[in-house]
Amino acid sequence: MSVLKLVLAPSLILKNKSELINNINKPISQLANNMFETMYKYGGVGLSAPQVSQSLQLIVIDCSGKDKKFTPSTIINPKIINLSTGFSVNDEGCLSFPNQFYEIKRPNSALVEYIDIHGKPITKNFSGFEAVCIQHEIDHLKGTLFVDYMSKLRRTMILKKMIKYKKNLLIKEKFTI
């Protein structure tokens, strides 16, 4: 397994719709394993393929740090079937937006159909923190970012911070031995 390079916002790949996966083969399994490795290295609870430069409908999540009842999951070609009518507001962050957090209102639960890494069709009701995570990651597959839920002013401020952050990273990388 290896750690993949994270795509930082703003980036076009993060705004594109991802392609369906038609064949779960060794490269897809390896990508999922590498995505878990990347997510854990950067302290995330979810990661979508576009965040590692792959425009595919592939997500890995592991919310067990928040609640031990959750288990790591690989989610392929997810489709939200139903959302609860109840909502909650949660502080969300994103690995593509380091150190940026925002309170977002989302449904409390989401019924999702997907395929697991073994090709088995699954229908699962995600609730609580796991529901927040799966909705956030499915948004990535549609080209929707958590900043899209913010006011235009707040979104512009965060995107300007990200441009500055990326420039500083490039300078550091250029002069690091």
Side-chain angles (χ1 to χ4, degrees):
M1 286 197 291
S2 61
V3 174
L4 303 169
K5 185 172 178 158
L6 283 174
V7 174
L8 299 177
S11 174
L12 284 179
I13 195 166
L14 295 176
K15 295 302 290 174
N16 293 334
K17 291 186 179 179
S18 299
E19 301 292 323
L20 288 171
I21 294 173
N22 296 316
N23 185 17
I24 302 170
N25 52 25
K26 190 170 175 104
I28 294 295
S29 294
Q30 188 62 50
L31 175 60
N33 287 335
N34 290 342
M35 286 172 62
F36 272 113
E37 189 78 14
T38 304
M39 179 183 72
Y40 293 138
K41 176 181 167 77
Y42 292 104
V45 293
L47 186 66
S48 67
Q51 293 177 275
V52 292
S53 298
Q54 300 295 316
S55 193
L56 298 169
Q57 290 197 19
L58 174 62
I59 294 168
V60 296
I61 64 170
D62 184 355
C63 300
S64 62
K66 293 279 185 183
D67 188 331
K68 295 299 178 204
K69 73 179 179 182
F70 300 132
T71 57
S73 300
T74 301
I75 296 163
I76 298 168
N77 301 338
K79 182 178 177 187
I80 295 176
I81 302 305
N82 192 30
L83 294 168
S84 68
T85 55
F87 289 83
S88 60
V89 176
N90 297 281
D91 211 23
E92 288 188 34
C94 180
L95 293 177
S96 292
F97 290 83
N99 306 313
Q100 302 300 314
F101 299 91
Y102 187 70
E103 287 187 343
I104 296 178
K105 182 179 177 182
R106 292 191 188 269
N108 292 326
S109 65
L111 184 64
V112 179
E113 287 180 350
Y114 64 94
I115 301 167
D116 73 9
I117 196 65
H118 306 292
K120 181 181 173 192
I122 306 281
T123 300
K124 179 178 177 180
N125 190 47
F126 292 85
S127 61
F129 182 70
E130 201 176 36
V132 172
C133 186
I134 193 67
Q135 290 174 76
H136 177 106
E137 298 307 330
I138 289 174
D139 276 353
H140 272 297
L141 302 182
K142 296 184 286 184
T144 301
L145 304 174
F146 86 129
V147 294
D148 295 331
Y149 292 93
M150 301 174 187
S151 69
K152 185 176 181 181
L153 177 63
R154 175 90 187 225
R155 181 173 46 252
T156 301
M157 286 173 40
I158 288 179
L159 290 172
K160 283 182 180 177
K161 283 183 186 178
M162 287 305 304
I163 290 167
K164 185 176 180 180
Y165 180 84
K166 286 171 76 170
K167 282 181 185 174
N168 287 338
L169 265 184
L170 285 173
I171 291 168
K172 284 180 186 175
E173 287 176 2
K174 193 174 184 178
F175 295 104
T176 303
I177 297 175

